[in-house]
Amino acid sequence: MANFLVKRSLKLNTPLQQEMVQQLQDFPGLHSIEFSNNTLHLSYDVRETQLKTILNAADVTIKPSRWNKLKQRYYQFTDANLAQASGHTPSCCNKVPRA
């Protein structure tokens, strides 16, 4: 069984309010959320939610640095791939084909 729990961290432009952190605790698929030094640390299951959905629900803006934007795009790309792979059922059982 593959593990679809991922950890992400992004720098934010504005501090995240403590009330928003408490509201996001009950977000479906989100396992943990922490905020320290303008950095948002997330841990979530990509089968249930993705980074873009969480950021939209939190109504936050990431810091507009190149590195941060690159990380966000990479995270979104891998989230989509993992979510798609979670529904895949293997068709081969490594047996020699019958003739």
Side-chain angles (χ1 to χ4, degrees):
M1 184 79 180
N3 187 6
F4 295 101
L5 186 67
V6 294
K7 295 179 182 178
R8 308 291 191 220
S9 63
L10 289 170
K11 296 257 185 207
L12 298 182
N13 233 1
T14 58
L16 191 62
Q17 301 297 326
Q18 190 62 27
E19 299 87 33
M20 183 55 69
V21 173
Q22 293 299 328
Q23 287 177 356
L24 286 175
Q25 290 290 342
D26 299 329
F27 199 79
L30 190 63
H31 287 264
S32 69
I33 180 171
E34 295 176 12
F35 182 73
S36 62
N37 298 332
N38 282 350
T39 303
L40 181 65
H41 301 280
L42 300 168
S43 176
Y44 56 92
D45 190 342
V46 293
R47 294 174 294 185
E48 298 178 37
T49 190
Q50 293 184 3
L51 179 66
K52 191 173 187 176
T53 309
I54 296 169
L55 292 179
N56 287 341
D59 195 28
V60 295
T61 56
I62 64 165
K63 193 171 186 176
S65 67
R66 283 187 182 185
W67 177 244
N68 224 15
K69 288 181 182 182
L70 180 66
K71 279 181 19 178
Q72 182 184 14
R73 288 188 193 121
Y74 174 74
Y75 290 159
Q76 289 175 351
F77 176 76
T78 55
D79 285 357
N81 282 344
L82 284 171
Q84 186 178 14
S86 71
H88 177 70
T89 54
S91 60
C92 180
C93 58
N94 292 332
K95 291 183 181 178
V96 178
R98 291 187 207 172

